Amino acid sequence: YRMINWMKAKKKDKTQDLIQVLAPCDGTVLPLGESQDEMFRSGLLGHGCFIYPKSKKIFAPVSGVVKSAFPTGHALGIVSEEGVELLLHFGIDTVNLNGRFMHTTVSAGDLIEAGDKLAEIDFPMIKKAGYAPDVYVIILNSESYQIKIREQDCESGQTVMTLARK
């Protein structure tokens, strides 16, 4: 009896096929079409969203492994347990700051859990230096997913994207 109920629940619950991507920081979720950066706006790297940040701490949007941590601290590449390839990018053209105002706390190869602290970014100083502080959450292999974005004010840890395999 218990096994039959479990199987029914398994068939009925389609949410198991959905992958939740959490907000890496507090802020306002915006569509890529509103980005000041043509590369992100065009979706060239993949689909996703960006967050106008209201906090300095960056947290893992998914559980998985850090695939790349740029020495300049401006971006992190993550592969989720489900195989979603994400790019977290802090600011526009902030690679030019050469690590100033950005401190990542993870390295390539690190295993992470959703919600783990990944970085601390001094967004007020980035703005003062003349750069947009936008935090990009890009699904690099977005052709494999249907992506639903929740445009809203968010706190880190809230779902901002739901992905379903195509």
Side-chain angles (χ1 to χ4, degrees), residues 14-22 61-62 80-84 86 145-146 148 159 161-165:
K14 289 289 183 199
T15 59
Q16 289 183 327
D17 298 337
L18 300 178
I19 301 163
Q20 306 296 318
V21 178
L22 308 180
V62 295
S80 78
E81 293 170 338
E82 302 87 359
V84 178
L86 286 101
Y145 300 95
Q146 289 178 329
K148 183 180 176 198
T159 300
M161 277 189 270
T162 304
L163 281 55
R165 280 196 200 286

Side-chain angles (χ1 to χ4, degrees), residues 40-100:
F40 289 117
R41 189 173 55 247
S42 70
L44 186 66
L45 293 175
H47 296 293
C49 63
F50 70 99
I51 298 171
Y52 190 85
K54 293 180 183 158
S55 60
K56 293 181 178 185
K57 292 180 180 157
I58 302 293
F59 300 96
V62 295
S63 296
V65 63
V66 176
K67 280 295 182 183
S68 55
F70 291 80
T72 52
H74 77 286
L76 293 168
I78 299 169
V79 177
S80 78
E81 293 170 338
E82 302 87 359
V84 178
E85 298 171 15
L86 286 101
L87 171 67
L88 283 183
H89 195 282
F90 315 124
I92 296 175
D93 294 329
T94 49
V95 66
N96 299 331
L97 291 172
N98 209 23
R100 282 188 309 153

Side-chain angles (χ1 to χ4, degrees), residues 16 18 34 67 141 152 166:
Q16 289 183 327
L18 300 178
E34 292 184 22
K67 280 295 182 183
N141 56 344
Q152 62 188 13
K166 287 185 179 175

Side-chain angles (χ1 to χ4, degrees), residues 117-139:
K117 184 177 171 189
L118 302 179
E120 195 150 327
I121 312 293
D122 192 339
F123 292 113
M125 289 304 292
I126 285 174
K127 285 197 290 191
K128 205 174 203 176
Y131 295 88
D134 308 339
V135 175
Y136 290 87
V137 184
I138 306 296
I139 309 301

